Amino acid sequence: MSPVAKLREVNFPITFIMAFYSNTTQGTVVYSADGYQQKILANDGSDLADTTLATQSALSIPLGGYERVMGKYTIWYDSDNTNELKFRIASLAQSDGSTAVASTIYTDVTARSEESTAADTPAAANVEGTGTYSTDGAGEVVTIDVNASTSGLLLAVEFNALVTAATKGTLVFQAALITGSASGTHLLAGSNVIYKKW
């Protein structure tokens, strides 16, 4: 009997392992996306404190030298009209978490707020889109001003990044207020990143 035939006679149990994340506030569980790796913000974040960009560690992706990653950040947040939101995607050195690692980063950004009317076409102020490109690893800062204090806002950022040095880095999502330091802008539970690396 051939090795292949013998192999077919054996019943191998097939086990699918899916990572899951617990929302400790709500007691719910979210499973990872099949075929991609996923990181998720399990609970609502605290107030964004000021205009200094801060790394959201739950959404960080470790990268090796010359490694490529592509994927999508889906960020749910609420906004205080006084402060609004700004963010960037950067590649920072694992050794200190602040020095940019030489990387080429492309992003395609779409931000949306919900309409409160039945209009088929949303007002221009409620839909924003842009693309960014950088080669220094520091990324580009994008500001999102929906001109309202509201919750349920959606920020979608598709990205493609390539580390162009041997340095180990971390692809990070950093967020801050556009202006001021009042409370009222938070990243919300369920915000996530799905990605593949090569």
Side-chain angles (χ1 to χ4, degrees):
M1 183 180 291
S2 74
V4 173
K6 287 180 181 177
L7 202 59
R8 288 180 180 153
E9 288 182 347
V10 180
N11 292 325
F12 287 101
I14 298 175
T15 304
F16 294 97
I17 299 173
M18 295 181 72
F20 65 90
Y21 304 87
S22 297
N23 179 323
T24 56
T25 302
Q26 302 297 324
T28 57
V29 173
V30 177
Y31 290 92
S32 67
D34 190 28
Y36 281 79
Q37 296 183 63
Q38 179 184 36
K39 295 196 170 192
I40 192 165
L41 190 63
N43 299 293
D44 291 351
S46 56
D47 289 330
L48 295 178
D50 53 37
T51 59
T52 303
L53 289 162
T55 296
Q56 306 302 307
S57 58
L59 303 176
S60 296
I61 303 168
L63 295 175
Y66 302 106
E67 196 165 33
R68 177 184 295 280
V69 60
M70 57 81 64
K72 181 178 181 179
Y73 282 98
T74 302
I75 305 296
W76 295 101
Y77 69 103
D78 56 12
S79 175
D80 182 284
N81 191 34
T82 304
N83 306 120
E84 298 289 358
L85 176 73
K86 69 179 178 181
F87 76 94
R88 76 169 175 168
I89 294 174
S91 178
L92 304 179
Q94 289 182 9
S95 59
D96 65 11
S98 61
T99 305
V101 174
S103 303
T104 301
I105 303 172
Y106 293 91
T107 69
D108 184 10
V109 182
T110 304
R112 187 194 74 201
S113 62
E114 298 294 346
E115 284 289 287
S116 59
T117 68
D120 291 332
T121 305
N126 288 14
V127 179
E128 298 187 30
T130 188
T132 68
Y133 164 75
S134 68
T135 58
D136 60 2
E140 297 294 332
V141 177
V142 178
T143 59
I144 307 296
D145 186 346
V146 297
N147 197 31
S149 293
T150 187
S151 60
L153 298 169
L154 172 64
L155 173 64
V157 186
E158 295 183 19
F159 64 88
N160 178 358
L162 171 64
V163 179
T164 55
T167 309
K168 291 182 179 180
T170 304
L171 194 75
V172 299
F173 181 90
Q174 296 184 317
L177 306 174
I178 293 175
T179 184
S181 58
S183 61
T185 299
H186 318 82
L187 303 189
L188 302 178
S191 295
N192 65 83
V193 58
I194 57 172
Y195 64 95
K196 289 185 178 182
K197 297 194 295 183
W198 291 268

